[in-house]
Amino acid sequence: MQREAYFDNAKLLFIFLVVFGHLIQPLKENIELVNVLYQWIYLFHMPIFVLVSGFFAKGIGNKQYIGKLARRILVPYLLFQAFYFLYFLGIGKDSWDTTLYDPLWGLWFLLSLFSWHLLLIGYKKMKPRYGIPLAFAVGVVAGYISWIGPSFSLSRTLVFFPFFLIGYWLTKDQLFKWQTKGMKIAAISVLVVIFAICFIEPGVPSEWMFGSKSYQTLEAGMYGGVFRSMLYAVSTLMVFAILLLVPRRGFTFTVLGQNTMYVYLLHGIIIQYVREASLLRVDHNLDTIGMGIIAAAIVWFLASKPVVTFTQPIVEGKFNNIQQWWQNRKEQKAYHYQENTREHYSSAK
């Protein structure tokens, strides 16, 4: 698939929101604006990240693909699960689980990503007008089953799968056709209105946006399905509003959008250390701007070429970036040697 600047811009924006949300999470109780932003972002940032992942799942359909997918997703999951276990131990973090089936940090996404591809094998045989409503219904019903929770990321897999399925059926032409001036104005209006509602009533528990717990755990009872259905409706509106506003032209930073998985898997190293060391304080609305700048810097650093080159073996299980770096290094040495030899002979003459 030919690379489109639109999708790299989208992925870069979404991973920024993920990092920004994680950065401000411990600080949301300190200032009202941070709390409102956190709630507003969490209504759509994972659904839209999942949707874009589904958009790029077009090639699924055979056993070889599943085998490659397992190596590309499950192997990094095991490696990072072990890494974060040791890392959390090293920085003194004590509020975490040590089991393989309870993903640490944001590693739930890898388990769910693999599971979404497996679910897609069956769901893609249904027409979208049947499959998508069914996926939403399963996500709602799953909340009533008490044993469906964070273990193996089962709850999140079922709750967020509808967005993965929407992304699978969505086409580039559809997205671009909808990017009219009128639709963009409507999209901005939707986002502003929902932000205003979050400002007026910022008391929605964040656990509802995580999608990782049953209604019984959330103490919602029979009304849990109604509330999740409402969240689905709001999240879907916001997802498409954001998609309509993503620019299609390339920028100097657009290329960073190719490396969002590196940012997702590695940003916990920085965020968790910052949390444990209590390095950030927020006591004023304007401090939120500084938090945004810090989040952007984290994204830029982790998506940069040097970081991607040397972490590729554990993120993708590949060594071609390091091989290319080593080859370029040898060529540069050979070039400098030839230049120095030429200068030496010239001086001798």
Side-chain angles (χ1 to χ4, degrees), residues 4-12 52 55-56 172 175-176 257:
E4 289 275 357
Y6 171 86
F7 294 105
D8 285 334
N9 287 334
K11 289 163 65 179
L12 190 60
V52 172
F55 182 88
F56 289 101
K172 179 180 67 175
L175 277 175
F176 292 171

Side-chain angles (χ1 to χ4, degrees), residues 196-218:
I197 294 172
C198 290
F199 188 83
I200 294 170
E201 184 55 54
V204 178
S206 56
E207 288 83 0
W208 279 97
M209 274 83 85
F210 296 163
S212 60
K213 296 180 179 180
S214 68
Y215 304 145
Q216 181 181 348
T217 306
L218 294 169

Side-chain angles (χ1 to χ4, degrees), residues 7 10-11 14 47-57 163 167 243:
F7 294 105
K11 289 163 65 179
F14 307 154
I48 204 167
F49 204 67
V50 173
L51 184 144
V52 172
S53 299
F55 182 88
F56 289 101
F163 298 102
L243 288 173

